[in-house]
Amino acid sequence: MIPDAEFVRDIFTRAALPVAESFNTPYSDTGQAVAVIRLHSENNRTSGSITVSASLYPHQTPVHQEQIRLSSGFHDYQCRALANALSLPPAHWNEFIAIVHKAFACHLANDALSITLEPLVLTPAHLWVVEGGSVRIDTNARFRQPYGAPKMPSAVLGGVSFVPLSGCITCIVNGAGLGMLTLDSIARLGGTTAALIDMGSDGLLEKLSPALEHAASIPSTHAILINLFAGFTHCTDIAASILAWRRERPLPCPVIVRLAGFDAEEALDLIMLAALDGLFSVAESDQAAALAVQLTAQWAVG
């Protein structure tokens, strides 16, 4: 769950982080700041640790990472490694280290899945200010949070469930399990999800065009990932519907199609042989997520 800006501001304030009065202050836009940084912490399920990373904003490369094991804690030398990798002026290391420690404590205290300070700015007046950020709270731990987190807004449009998020890839799926699998794959590969559109298990052909129209209308969408298990519907019919929709309108962004079920191979071949710009077909769910993340990165560069 990614709460709204006011909730994020409240969490950062409780952690005693230096939050700007507005998340749209000018330092990150004028180029006059001494340093503009993206500071990010995220749970690492594979290693059972928390990954803290820092990079110069907005290019975000190179990214320096430190793995924090809860058994040993977060040490100053790891913060200094981040500061050194960012080539920060040594005179400002102590303040930077204090902010990194506060952000990490904020991560733990709020049962966060991830926390991002973006951007964290060293202003021309040599003050550290958090101009924006995001927090993903573990919904299974909400009972431990005294002030809770706002519920994620959702809607049902023409039988299609829509959950807005705050990333770049809009996913069209049929079924909550497949949706969670797709979102996890994207996150594991370093991508972010703009929205989840769930068409359910029936009436796929009737719901597909409205789902695609809604996905294409989301301004933050840099790629659309269609990941469907067709069930009783022929995948070739789904492919034909996607191709018809694509031929009727210009694509605002790349569309990646992964289908499983009856006639899946033939359906993916139909999409591939159509050779329409910006339309891709892949056989495996992880491959589809990887291609979506790759195309999103190319979109951002372009």
Side-chain angles (χ1 to χ4, degrees):
M1 171 178 286
I2 302 179
D4 58 30
E6 289 303 318
F7 181 83
V8 171
R9 188 194 311 276
D10 181 58
I11 283 185
F12 287 174
T13 302
R14 290 170 183 268
L17 289 164
V19 180
E21 292 184 5
S22 169
F23 274 16
N24 295 306
T25 48
Y27 302 118
S28 61
D29 298 325
T30 62
Q32 298 175 358
V34 177
V36 184
I37 295 167
R38 182 181 190 269
L39 183 65
H40 179 74
S41 61
E42 184 165 2
N43 294 351
N44 189 323
R45 297 179 180 177
T46 303
S47 64
S49 61
I50 296 176
T51 302
V52 177
S53 61
S55 57
L56 293 177
Y57 185 90
H59 304 293
Q60 301 180 8
T61 54
V63 178
H64 184 80
Q65 295 183 342
E66 291 289 327
Q67 299 296 328
I68 316 303
R69 294 193 175 277
L70 298 182
S71 58
S72 57
F74 194 14
H75 300 285
D76 280 356
Y77 75 84
Q78 294 174 295
C79 297
R80 288 194 293 271
L82 293 173
N84 183 61
L86 296 171
S87 299
L88 294 180
H92 300 291
W93 280 23
N94 287 341
E95 296 96 328
F96 175 75
I97 290 171
I99 288 174
V100 176
H101 275 301
K102 288 177 181 178
F104 182 74
C106 179
H107 185 122
L108 296 180
N110 291 282
D111 294 301
L113 298 175
S114 69
I115 283 183
T116 306
L117 310 186
E118 184 180 13
L120 171 63
V121 177
L122 181 56
T123 72
H126 299 287
L127 298 174
W128 286 100
V129 177
V130 178
E131 291 188 5
S134 63
V135 177
R136 294 176 60 233
I137 301 294
D138 185 349
T139 54
N140 293 319
R142 283 184 62 190
F143 70 94
R144 284 201 291 262
Q145 301 302 325
Y147 47 90
K151 291 185 177 180
M152 178 62 65
S154 62
V156 178
L157 308 171
V160 176
S161 298
F162 168 68
V163 179
L165 299 168
S166 66
C168 300
I169 302 170
T170 292
C171 301
I172 299 176
V173 301
N174 61 323
L178 184 57
M180 293 301 101
L181 174 65
T182 305
L183 266 62
D184 282 347
S185 297
I186 290 171
R188 186 172 65 252
L189 293 164
T192 57
T193 306
L196 178 65
I197 298 176
D198 183 1
M199 299 194 298
S201 58
D202 59 340
L204 294 184
L205 295 178
E206 293 78 11
K207 296 175 182 177
L208 184 55
S209 182
L212 284 166
E213 288 295 328
H214 194 63
S217 70
I218 300 171
S220 61
T221 298
H222 292 177
I224 298 172
L225 171 55
I226 303 171
N227 190 5
L228 302 178
F229 180 77
F232 294 109
T233 305
H234 284 238
C235 290
T236 48
D237 292 336
I238 295 174
S241 181
I242 293 172
L243 290 171
W245 176 83
R246 167 62 184 86
R247 291 186 175 111
E248 290 175 0
R249 59 167 299 160
L251 280 180
C253 60
V255 175
I256 302 94
V257 181
R258 182 262 176 173
L259 300 174
F262 188 72
D263 286 342
E265 291 185 9
E266 293 88 340
L268 295 175
D269 286 342
L270 283 176
I271 294 172
M272 180 183 66
L273 293 173
L276 297 176
D277 288 341
L279 186 61
F280 305 87
S281 62
V282 296
E284 300 296 333
S285 184
D286 283 346
Q287 292 175 344
L291 181 57
V293 172
Q294 176 188 341
L295 293 172
T296 301
Q298 292 175 358
W299 175 288
V301 171

